[in-house]
Amino acid sequence: MNSTILTQPLVMLDLDGTIIDSQAGIVSSLRGSLIELGVEVEDNHDFTWCIGSSLWDIYKHYLDTSDGRRLDYAVALYREIYRSGPMFDYHVYDGIEWAMTQLVNRGYRLVLATAKAREYAAHVVASSSFASMLHHVYGSELDGTNVHKADLIAHVLRSEDVAPERAVMIGDRHHDVDGAAANRVAGIGVTYGYGHPREFTAAYAVVDRPHDLPDVIASIIASS
């Protein structure tokens, strides 16, 4: 067992809405898939709530069904559209790479923990300028395994062999902080993404800009 891993604090980062603004690609894929599925949405429809949510939950809402085959088909259709190009329609939030660099320099181990399919998240990370700062990419599997953040975070803790008190989870939606709380991990909600501060009832801390993250994380780890 590697004692360095055991003592090195772990920082789990969500992707969409935390490291990158990927709304354009996600929304165009959702809209395109819904058109194919015969679902009409208004031109100014707000898809913000979908970002960070399970694709199965999203289509359960729009298709008004719990039929597994119908939902699996919708998810597959979305993924076909998404991986054809929209997955790379994103930009990195100002200040987040600086914050990640500071965390690495302070000795933290950074991993991605996203509900996005791991396969697609890995492609996005590989195309980015922050790839070298991430030790590993964790995400959901194509069959839906670990699509819920509580399950994913539990998987990350086991895989990284890190105690909950030596880890933090950073994300812009309630899924992130709720999933962290379910695993006794300190969750940090960020307000510059797609969520709203009222979502973060289970958060240990809430920050408004990436530049605040290194000191907030240091304070949490020091108090553990």
Side-chain angles (χ1 to χ4, degrees), residues 19-134:
I19 299 178
I20 63 173
D21 182 351
S22 50
Q23 182 169 345
I26 292 173
V27 168
S28 66
S29 300
L30 285 172
R31 189 178 291 279
S33 66
L34 290 174
I35 289 173
E36 289 287 330
L37 293 164
V39 178
E40 294 186 11
V41 291
E42 61 273 19
D43 291 341
N44 64 344
H45 183 74
D46 185 6
F47 286 99
T48 304
W49 75 270
C50 299
I51 301 174
S53 299
S54 157
L55 286 172
W56 284 268
D57 289 343
I58 291 170
Y59 287 106
K60 184 181 294 185
H61 168 79
Y62 284 110
L63 299 178
D64 191 25
T65 183
S66 295
D67 184 283
R69 290 185 180 181
R70 177 75 167 154
L71 295 175
D72 286 347
Y73 175 80
V75 169
L77 180 59
Y78 168 89
R79 286 172 170 167
E80 180 181 358
I81 296 171
Y82 183 67
R83 67 175 176 245
S84 69
M87 67 188 294
F88 299 111
D89 188 2
Y90 70 85
H91 72 264
V92 181
Y93 285 111
D94 291 341
I96 191 63
E97 287 184 272
W98 175 89
M100 293 170 70
T101 300
Q102 292 296 309
L103 291 168
V104 170
N105 290 343
R106 295 186 189 193
Y108 297 98
R109 187 180 186 86
L110 274 57
V111 299
L112 195 70
T114 174
K116 187 189 295 294
R118 178 171 53 87
E119 175 184 329
Y120 303 146
H123 286 309
V124 171
V125 169
S127 74
S128 76
S129 54
F130 54 80
S132 63
M133 289 184 278
L134 291 170

